[in-house]
């Protein structure tokens, strides 16, 4: 089979690395890829006809979509209509609205009795200002559309909520993504991410992972795409997962015949199985969680991707109490992200990347924002640049391996130009 992965980050590079193991794959490509993905082809993940041309030229059988934008733009529907012999892994445009529109997602959850914070839909500035007057504090404000992870803010006083609402509606802070806004009740608890791979009727649970969103140690600094992760995550019990499978994932399957990855962002309120709420749905895998999830999967990933697109009926499942999951290797993975200094705000690109000749045992480096420059050297090409991933028996051991490897990197590279967190895995 010939596979094309869409995207250029650590998530896509981790999927690429996992699929390199697959005996059924004769050619693996990435578009646009990065310096860590061998067969990277030029292109833009948002240009569907351009992607179709690349896929046809390279006789692609299956496209694996990493980021949400092509899914929300309807890449699955596009290929079904114009090139139905090329399969695309992911949900169709309607189902991808679960991530693409917070209001769509809220309405769906309310209709299907899925536990979610109460919300108020605001279609204009006037309605939003009135709703803020009546809303209990703190107030959660969510821009309706895709805002690259920046669309949510939490306000402990009305003045800051009002000023944010004005920025969204009047100054168009998020462009059209802020044409509508959802106000939500503030939830407390522990956040956890649950990933399921779905085939329209059934869902299999992937390994859990914990993500560190803030830029600096001790969860300080601005929110980022994610600065590190480990798997398994320690906040979701099997009882929580069983409840989520039945009460959250099943309604998504029933309503959308959902295919691809369903990422359920949860707030876990207590140890009781049913004491959790959905914070958000995403229609793709998480980054940097995937970098920890992929190495833990036992066996070949390809059969599951084909199962999801309807090409393969039988896959190996492990039955737990209340849910089925993919077979998983024992042990723990941990990933620390090396980012450009200044990320997620202003940062330089083109920074020199020099990787060690030999990695610490059990460690591999996954590229994110990297590329080859004109003279063939690896340079940075984004905010998050490298993922240092370790596999070990325990989290403590995995952490120690990751930071040993980072020591090696700091000897080779100018670390005045980079940042990383030193506390990944501590809690
Ligand atoms: P989202 O993009 O919806 O996942 O929101 C981004 C982050 O905002 C989440 O990871 C939570 O930390 C926080 N958040 C979102 N909704 C709520 C809520 N209703 N209550 C508390 N925190 C929230
Ligand atoms: N790591 C969070 C996300 O991928 O949305």
């Amino acid at each position: 089979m010939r596979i094309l992965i869409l995207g250029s980050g650590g998530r896509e590079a981790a999927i690429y690395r996992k699929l390199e193991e697959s005996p059924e794959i004769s050619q693996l490509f990435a578009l646009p890829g990065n310096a860590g993905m061998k067969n990277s082809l030029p292109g833009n993940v948002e240009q569907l006809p351009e992607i179709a041309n690349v896929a046809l030229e390279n006789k692609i059988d299956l496209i694996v979509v990493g980021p949400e934008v092509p899914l929300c733009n309807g890449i699955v529907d596009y290929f079904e209509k114009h090139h139905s012999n090329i399969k695309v892994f992911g949900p169709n445009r309607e189902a991808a609205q679960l991530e693409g529109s917070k209001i769509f997602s809220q309405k769906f959850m309310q209709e299907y009795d899925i536990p979610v914070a109460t919300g108020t839909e605001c279609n204009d500035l006037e309605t939003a200002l009135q709703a803020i007057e009546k809303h209990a504090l703190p107030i959660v404000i969510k821009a309706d559309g895709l805002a690259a992870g920046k669309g949510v803010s939490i306000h402990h006083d009305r003045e800051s909520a009002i000023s944010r609402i004005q920025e969204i509606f009047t100054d168009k802070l998020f462009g059209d993504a802020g044409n509508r806004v959802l106000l939500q009740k503030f939830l407390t608890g522990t956040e956890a991410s649950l990933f399921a791979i779905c085939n329209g009727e059934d869902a299999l649970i992937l390994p859990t992972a914990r993500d560190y969103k803030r830029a600096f140690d001790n969860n300080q600094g601005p929110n980022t795409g994610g600065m590190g992760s480990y798997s398994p995550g320690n906040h979701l019990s099997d009882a929580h997962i069983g409840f989520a499978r039945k009460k959250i994932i099943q309604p998504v399957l029933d309503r959308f015949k959902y295919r691809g990855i369903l990422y359920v962002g949860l707030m876990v309120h207590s140890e009781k199985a049913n004491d959790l709420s959905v914070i958000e749905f995403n229609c793709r895998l998480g980054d940097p969680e995937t970098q920890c999830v992929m190495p833990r999967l036992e066996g070949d990933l390809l059969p599951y991707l084909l199962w999801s697109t309807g090409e393969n009926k039988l896959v190996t499942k492990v039955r737990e109490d209340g849910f089925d999951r993919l077979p998983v290797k024992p042990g723990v993975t941990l990933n620390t992200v090396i980012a450009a200094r200044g990320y997620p705000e202003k940062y330089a690109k083109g920074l020199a990347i020099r990787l060690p000749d030999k990695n610490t045992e059990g460690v591999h480096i996954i590229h994110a924002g990297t590329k080859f420059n004109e003279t063939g050297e690896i340079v940075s090409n984004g905010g998050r640049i490298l993922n240092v991933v370790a596999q070990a028996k325990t989290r403590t051991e995995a952490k120690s391996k990751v930071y040993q490897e980072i020591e090696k990197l700091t000897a080779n590279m100018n670390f005045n130009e980079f940042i990383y967190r030193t506390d990944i895995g501590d809690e």
Side-chain angles (χ1 to χ4, degrees), residues 80-126:
E80 245 166 41
K81 183 162 175 213
H82 299 288
H83 308 282
S84 59
N85 54 329
I86 303 176
K87 299 295 164 202
V88 182
F89 173 73
N92 64 18
R93 182 184 206 142
E94 187 197 18
Q97 286 181 82
L98 285 177
E99 173 162 6
S101 165
K102 302 271 189 205
I103 291 172
F104 177 90
S105 177
Q106 179 85 11
K107 282 185 175 156
F108 160 71
M109 286 191 267
Q110 285 172 351
E111 195 183 332
Y112 281 75
D113 272 335
I114 294 175
V116 60
T118 50
T120 312
E121 173 185 342
C122 305
N123 295 325
D124 54 58
L125 178 66
E126 209 48 45

Side-chain angles (χ1 to χ4, degrees), residues 211 213 225 263 282 284 286-289:
D211 172 22
K213 291 227 190 261
Y263 168 154
N282 292 319
R284 36 85 197 167
D287 187 343
E289 296 96 316

